[in-house]
Amino acid sequence: MHHPTTAYAVPFTVDRSRAPRRYDLVNTGSEPLHAISLTHLGNGYCPPLAVNQLDPGRSLSIAVFGADPEETGVVVVRWRRPDRSEYLWRMSLVGDRRAA
C-alpha cells in the first residue's frame, strides 16, 4: 500500500515592505535550501537570480525595475531540499498598497 507524502510547507516568507521595487524572500524553514533560482514573469524587469544555498533565517533580495506598481507580475521560485527533492512555488509581487 502506498502512503502519501506528508505535506511540506513552503519555507519562505516574503517581506513586501519596500515593494514594488524590492522584495525580500526569507528562508523561515528549519533546513538549508539548495540550488535556488528565481524567474520573473510579468511587466518590468527582474534580473534572474540563482543561489547555491540559503540557510534558515537568511534572505534574498529581488529587485523589479520599470514596472507599474499594480502590475509587477510573479516570481517562480525553484529550490531543492537537503534530500535533493525539487520544489516550485509561484509568488505574487503585488506590493503592499497601504505603504503608499
Side-chain angles (χ1 to χ4, degrees), residues 14-20 22-24 91-96 99:
V14 182
D15 177 354
R16 292 180 169 87
S17 63
R18 292 182 258 184
R22 180 174 164 175
Y23 303 82
D24 293 317
M91 76 177 210
S92 172
L93 290 184
V94 174
D96 184 353

Side-chain angles (χ1 to χ4, degrees), residues 8-12 35-39 75-81 85-91:
Y8 169 62
V10 172
F12 297 108
I36 301 162
S37 64
L38 293 94
T39 306
V75 167
V76 177
V77 182
R78 177 181 174 189
W79 73 95
R80 291 188 182 273
R81 293 180 69 187
S85 56
E86 181 181 48
Y87 290 83
L88 294 171
W89 178 50
R90 182 177 161 147
M91 76 177 210

